[in-house]
Amino acid sequence: AQTVTQSQPEMSVQEAETVTLSCTYDTSESDYYLFWYKQPPSRQMILVIRQEAYKQQNATENRFSVNFQKAAKSFSLKISDSQLGDAAMYFCAYWDRNYQLIWGAGTKLIIKP
Amino acid sequence: ETGVTQTPRHLVMGMTNKKSLKCEQHLGHNAMYWYKQSAKKPLELMFVYNFKEQTENNSVPSRFSPECPNSSHLFLHLHTLQPEDSALYLCASSQDRGQGTGELFFGEGSRLTVL
């Protein structure tokens, strides 16, 4: 069965610095998607970035980028120039053509002013 | 109205009460989901509806009863709940359960406290 592991329950970073959140997953599939979702306090969960497994190029969205290592089954999120508004729970998720969306337990990101 | 809207945002109920959570999406999606979110745990999928038909029930206790009258509305009826049912209940929608990229659009959640 597929699993998603986020080994960092909490991370903190100084404003304007860079932080990397870790995610590993386990699957026997070759075609799948990986996601990072952000859930700010008392606000709705939103998609931050998406990676398609068949694409070797790492996805980027402005200050957010991923390091996708398919062989190692690793999918980390890098946030550059951290801002106070980046404070949130971040969830890594896996989706494949079996329509199973598997979630990690989340990482709480704290931004220090 | 935009996105996915959930009401109420907060709900406190006794174990003998009956209440309902409501979710409405204005995205034209065909699939809707109920998730349970507890602290420090992965999101737990409860129910999935695709084109108004329930396609998944992940061994959810019968004290939770979903209803999907149309593709835009989803309810979760609650009765004789237990204190361990206290959690944030998230509604989400997607274009179609069987297509697309798996991206979900979430509501802000209903914080449920069972006394």
Side-chain angles (χ1 to χ4, degrees):
Chain A
Q2 293 87 351
T3 59
V4 175
T5 302
Q6 292 180 251
S7 60
Q8 306 152 318
E10 186 175 297
M11 291 281 285
S12 63
V13 63
Q14 205 71 34
E15 193 176 2
E17 297 295 309
T18 296
V19 64
T20 299
L21 308 184
S22 301
C23 174
T24 58
Y25 59 96
D26 188 25
T27 183
S28 58
E29 301 290 329
S30 60
D31 185 19
Y32 50 87
Y33 288 83
L34 295 163
F35 305 90
W36 279 99
Y37 279 87
K38 169 186 177 181
Q39 186 180 35
S42 301
R43 294 180 62 186
Q44 65 196 131
M45 182 121 57
I46 58 172
L47 179 67
V48 174
I49 199 165
R50 171 177 55 221
Q51 176 76 44
E52 296 163 77
Y54 67 86
K55 290 187 176 179
Q56 292 186 341
Q57 186 174 6
N58 289 325
T60 62
E61 288 287 343
N62 300 314
R63 297 182 295 106
F64 298 86
S65 62
V66 300
N67 183 4
F68 173 49
Q69 302 289 329
K70 190 172 184 179
K73 297 179 182 176
S74 171
F75 182 61
S76 61
L77 175 69
K78 186 173 81 171
I79 305 174
S80 304
D81 185 26
S82 297
Q83 300 175 2
L84 294 178
D86 295 332
M89 286 291 295
Y90 286 82
F91 293 92
C92 179
Y94 161 100
W95 185 86
D96 66 24
R97 295 294 178 181
N98 293 317
Y99 319 133
Q100 296 297 315
L101 187 60
I102 310 299
W103 296 84
T107 296
K108 181 179 181 179
L109 179 63
I110 298 169
I111 310 296
K112 298 178 180 178
Chain B
E1 294 286 352
T2 59
V4 181
T5 304
Q6 289 187 242
T7 55
R9 293 291 308 280
H10 300 274
L11 178 63
V12 179
M13 58 187 291
M15 289 191 288
T16 59
N17 291 159
K18 290 184 179 181
K19 297 287 185 182
S20 296
L21 307 180
K22 178 183 177 182
C23 177
E24 184 174 0
Q25 58 96 1
H26 303 274
L27 299 169
H29 289 165
N30 297 307
M32 297 188 76
Y33 310 74
W34 279 117
Y35 278 92
K36 177 182 180 182
Q37 185 178 22
S38 304
K40 301 182 180 180
K41 293 176 64 176
L43 270 68
E44 299 173 53
L45 180 64
M46 300 176 71
F47 303 102
V48 181
Y49 279 81
N50 200 33
F51 293 93
K52 300 188 299 178
E53 298 297 320
Q54 183 174 314
T55 58
E56 288 183 47
N57 175 343
N58 281 0
S59 302
V60 180
S62 59
R63 57 186 184 269
F64 294 91
S65 175
E67 178 189 359
C68 187
N70 55 62
S71 292
S72 298
H73 294 85
L74 184 64
F75 295 88
L76 187 62
H77 304 300
L78 316 169
H79 61 97
T80 59
L81 295 189
Q82 304 299 310
E84 59 264 29
D85 297 322
S86 299
L88 182 67
Y89 288 84
L90 295 174
C91 175
S93 69
S94 67
Q95 183 61 46
D96 187 321
R97 178 61 168 160
Q99 297 181 12
T101 62
E103 179 181 354
L104 298 183
F105 295 78
F106 286 86
E108 294 182 340
S110 294
R111 174 70 63 184
L112 173 66
T113 302
V114 181
L115 301 177

